Amino acid sequence: MADELGRRGTRHAVVIGGSLAGLLAARVLAEHAERVTVVERDRLPEGPDARPGVPQGRHLHVLIAGGQQALDELLPGFMDELRELGAPRVGMPSDMVQWQAGQWFTRLPASAHFYSGPRPQLEWLVRQRVLADPRIELVEGTETVGLTGTAARVTGVRLRERGAGTGREPRTLAADLVVDASGRSTKAADWLAAIGAEAPHEETLDTGLAYGSRVYRATEAVPDTDALGYYIVPGPRQPYGGVIVPLGDGRHMVTMSGLRGDEPPTDEGAFEEYAKRLPHPVFSEWLAGAEPAGSVHGFRQTANVRRRYDRPGRRPAGFLATGDALCSFNPIYGQGMAVAALAAVALRRALSDTRRTPTTRRVQRALLDASRQAWDISAGADKKMPGATGDAARSKPADRVTGWYLARVQERAAGDAVVGVPFRAVLTLTAPLTSLFAPAVVRAALFSPVPETPAGPPLRVGD
């Protein structure tokens, strides 16, 4: 059988994992396959509730502009529906009190927006839209324990039902195409080895960053501000971070981060005490005036990991990886949901390309390319952090010059719209990194003085 994906001959596609990346991949595959089966190890809630299979689901999630555009392309009208559910829309930099690298950002008019509603809400809405397609079937409470086929071609998956009576023998589900969207804890390396294939090389970069999150309700005792939230950005010289963003219904998500050995505690009193490590007391003052609305949850798995399926190796046709199973990022940069949607757009374009045969390797390369800019941002920032480990932590000779230039860009982005607008467009994945080398940005970065920015937290626009 030819190594060709997405043609009429693809009768059945199986997607491993029913989270955002898996659901959106299923949405695209349904345009090419006769039927698509999504295999999910959890039993999914009926409403917008958290589930165990998303360990980061109780923490801060934002949907940046690149993800918004991709979701509307995949599921027309999606962002209108998300707004109708009450997901807060936050403008940058106008709606946030932001500190980074010793500067408070001037609250200039917003050039980018993100949505900060609970992740379970967004995932539920995607699930409702995707599973409304009769070509897509969801198999819940079932884990994938292996692949069938050979090193030349995957022919299906081996499944086992979870829960009571787990001693049951695995069953086989035949497929013309298998997509791994099982997340950063994917077992694909073992699955491939079991059929005689090679696992991809893993690039890693780990700062040891860990964070803790808790939901609060704002009261009249919090600092008086017209901002919607606060953002203390960690860096090499100041490793503590903090974010406060609205969830809707008067609730806010508070997340604080630190490096290995000095992680935010999950003890409730100690969690609020930890805020005193941040470079300004405004964060502690907000917490002191707010009311807790839940427990503290910790998260420690924040390494950047990229699996290089695009490189040569003995790998089977008919097997793809997407989402965190392909490339996972330090969650502090808020890129994961956007990249999951951008990967689905890349999958659609690769399968529909009439100029090129959509081979497994070519489609897999397109999926990796969809995550490349997010990787460059996340790994590029993280390799500067103290104690960063992993093979991707090594700097290249050109990194010093690029880093010097981007540091000048970042200094001016805090108060200069000429630099700040393209800077935010790159970070929100709506413009390429080359935008930061446009003539106007280069002139400002190299020849303009650093603009004056607020001396203290700009609690009001104009401060």
Side-chain angles (χ1 to χ4, degrees), residues 228-353:
L228 297 179
Y230 299 79
Y231 187 18
I232 306 296
V233 184
R237 297 180 182 176
Q238 195 293 114
Y240 301 104
V243 187
I244 302 172
V245 294
L247 292 174
D249 299 328
R251 297 177 303 140
H252 290 73
M253 179 67 77
V254 175
T255 294
M256 289 186 285
S257 64
L259 300 183
R260 61 171 65 90
D262 193 12
E263 302 92 344
T266 54
D267 174 80
E268 296 180 357
F271 178 75
E272 296 186 4
E273 185 70 17
Y274 191 87
K276 295 179 181 178
R277 290 171 165 79
L278 297 176
H280 195 279
V282 68
F283 208 95
S284 287
E285 292 167 2
W286 192 95
L287 286 177
E291 296 177 349
S295 301
V296 182
H297 299 276
F299 193 76
R300 302 291 184 262
Q301 298 178 7
T302 61
N304 302 277
V305 180
R306 181 161 62 170
R307 298 176 174 90
R308 299 305 300 266
Y309 284 96
D310 59 313
R311 292 181 177 173
R314 192 174 65 255
R315 297 193 195 93
F319 180 79
L320 299 171
T322 191
D324 282 357
L326 175 63
C327 190
S328 56
F329 314 94
N330 185 337
I332 196 171
Y333 300 106
Q335 301 166 316
M337 295 194 299
V339 172
L342 288 166
V345 171
L347 178 64
R348 170 185 274 174
R349 293 173 181 171
L351 294 180
S352 302
D353 189 346

Side-chain angles (χ1 to χ4, degrees), residues 56-374:
Q56 200 207 351
R58 297 183 184 276
H59 297 271
L60 172 66
H61 282 80
V62 296
L63 181 63
I64 56 177
Q68 297 166 33
Q69 293 176 5
L71 279 165
D72 258 343
E73 182 175 338
L74 295 162
L75 304 169
F78 181 87
M79 293 310 303
D80 288 339
E81 295 179 10
L82 189 63
R83 280 189 287 272
E84 290 172 3
L85 290 176
R89 184 173 184 258
V90 181
M92 296 290 286
S94 60
D95 292 337
M96 294 290 283
V97 175
Q98 179 174 343
W99 182 97
Q100 184 172 8
Q103 293 177 296
W104 293 101
F105 276 53
T106 303
R107 291 174 58 192
L108 299 171
S111 65
H113 294 82
F114 65 81
Y115 285 81
S116 60
R119 175 183 171 127
Q121 178 188 69
L122 187 146
E123 188 174 307
W124 172 79
L125 184 55
V126 170
R127 192 161 63 240
Q128 296 295 107
R129 288 287 303 270
V130 170
L131 296 182
D133 188 329
R135 296 167 295 185
I136 301 174
E137 177 190 5
L138 174 66
V139 177
E140 302 178 74
T142 301
E143 60 184 337
T144 301
V145 295
L147 302 171
T148 60
T150 67
R153 172 167 287 280
V154 164
T155 59
V157 291
R158 297 173 65 242
L159 306 177
R160 182 166 54 210
E161 189 175 348
R162 301 181 73 217
T166 53
R168 301 174 186 172
E169 288 295 314
R171 62 184 177 91
T172 296
L173 181 62
D176 302 289
L177 172 64
V178 175
V179 178
D180 179 18
S182 59
R184 65 165 61 222
S185 60
T186 176
K187 301 295 191 297
D190 296 335
W191 301 338
L192 290 168
I195 60 172
E198 292 180 66
H201 169 69
E202 291 188 359
E203 294 177 319
T204 62
L205 197 164
D206 187 6
T207 64
L209 179 137
Y211 55 89
S213 300
R214 192 180 194 186
V215 176
Y216 286 79
R217 290 191 179 277
T219 72
E220 294 182 356
V222 301
D224 184 25
T225 178
D226 59 4
L228 297 179
Y230 299 79
Y231 187 18
I232 306 296
V233 184
R237 297 180 182 176
Q238 195 293 114
Y240 301 104
V243 187
I244 302 172
V245 294
L247 292 174
D249 299 328
R251 297 177 303 140
H252 290 73
M253 179 67 77
V254 175
T255 294
M256 289 186 285
S257 64
L259 300 183
R260 61 171 65 90
D262 193 12
E263 302 92 344
T266 54
D267 174 80
E268 296 180 357
F271 178 75
E272 296 186 4
E273 185 70 17
Y274 191 87
K276 295 179 181 178
R277 290 171 165 79
L278 297 176
H280 195 279
V282 68
F283 208 95
S284 287
E285 292 167 2
W286 192 95
L287 286 177
E291 296 177 349
S295 301
V296 182
H297 299 276
F299 193 76
R300 302 291 184 262
Q301 298 178 7
T302 61
N304 302 277
V305 180
R306 181 161 62 170
R307 298 176 174 90
R308 299 305 300 266
Y309 284 96
D310 59 313
R311 292 181 177 173
R314 192 174 65 255
R315 297 193 195 93
F319 180 79
L320 299 171
T322 191
D324 282 357
L326 175 63
C327 190
S328 56
F329 314 94
N330 185 337
I332 196 171
Y333 300 106
Q335 301 166 316
M337 295 194 299
V339 172
L342 288 166
V345 171
L347 178 64
R348 170 185 274 174
R349 293 173 181 171
L351 294 180
S352 302
D353 189 346
T354 57
R355 299 167 301 168
R356 298 179 179 89
T357 301
T359 63
T360 299
R361 179 169 291 182
R362 182 167 287 146
V363 175
Q364 187 66 80
R365 189 178 298 121
L367 291 170
L368 189 74
D369 286 346
S371 66
R372 194 174 302 278
Q373 180 164 315

